[in-house]
Amino acid sequence: MARQLQISTPTKAVINPAKGEAAKRRGMKRIGQLDPTWASDCDNAIAEMAGRGVVFQAADLIRLELVGEPPHPNCWGPRFAVAVRRGIIRHATYGQSARATVHRSICHHWIGTAAARSAAA
């Protein structure tokens, strides 16, 4: 006889989207300040790729030697989030990362916005 898995009802203290978003923003701000020079170089690399009008991922920035390795792998997220807020890039799709260090995990793929492409022209 098959038994059904019983999951207890989550409490409001555990599931709170607003608190989760606030914690994410605090963490992204903290990790984004690890190396201001790398952050600036990464922002420039994202803008460069956005202007090209091709779909890209973080691994492409390193492969094309537009930016070096970040001081911590979590530094990528804040830089892409800033670029989205600035209207430089938008989410294009999801796909596997090209980086062996993350075991081909799923990652965002981005494309430059029309404004970014026209600014680069």
Side-chain angles (χ1 to χ4, degrees):
M1 177 166 116
R3 300 183 104 185
Q4 184 176 3
L5 175 65
Q6 297 294 314
I7 300 174
S8 62
T9 304
T11 64
K12 287 185 180 182
V14 175
I15 298 178
N16 185 322
K19 285 186 178 181
E21 182 64 25
K24 178 182 92 171
R25 290 193 184 278
R26 282 191 309 275
M28 288 176 77
K29 182 177 180 184
R30 185 185 76 252
I31 201 85
Q33 295 170 345
L34 285 179
D35 185 343
T37 300
W38 181 87
S40 177
D41 292 346
C42 187
D43 291 350
N44 292 334
I46 291 170
E48 167 70 24
M49 289 303 290
R52 294 181 185 187
V54 297
V55 174
F56 67 99
Q57 60 176 279
D60 295 323
L61 303 180
I62 292 175
R63 181 179 57 79
L64 296 171
E65 299 180 352
L66 298 174
V67 70
E69 291 285 344
H72 188 279
N74 291 357
C75 289
W76 291 112
R79 303 322 322 148
F80 282 97
V82 165
V84 168
R85 283 194 304 273
R86 290 180 179 162
I88 296 168
I89 58 172
R90 67 174 176 77
H91 179 261
T93 188
Y94 292 101
Q96 289 185 309
S97 173
R99 303 198 62 195
T101 56
V102 295
H103 311 284
R104 302 212 18 101
S105 61
I106 299 299
C107 71
H108 288 278
H109 289 199
W110 307 94
I111 191 162
T113 61
R117 290 191 305 272
S118 66

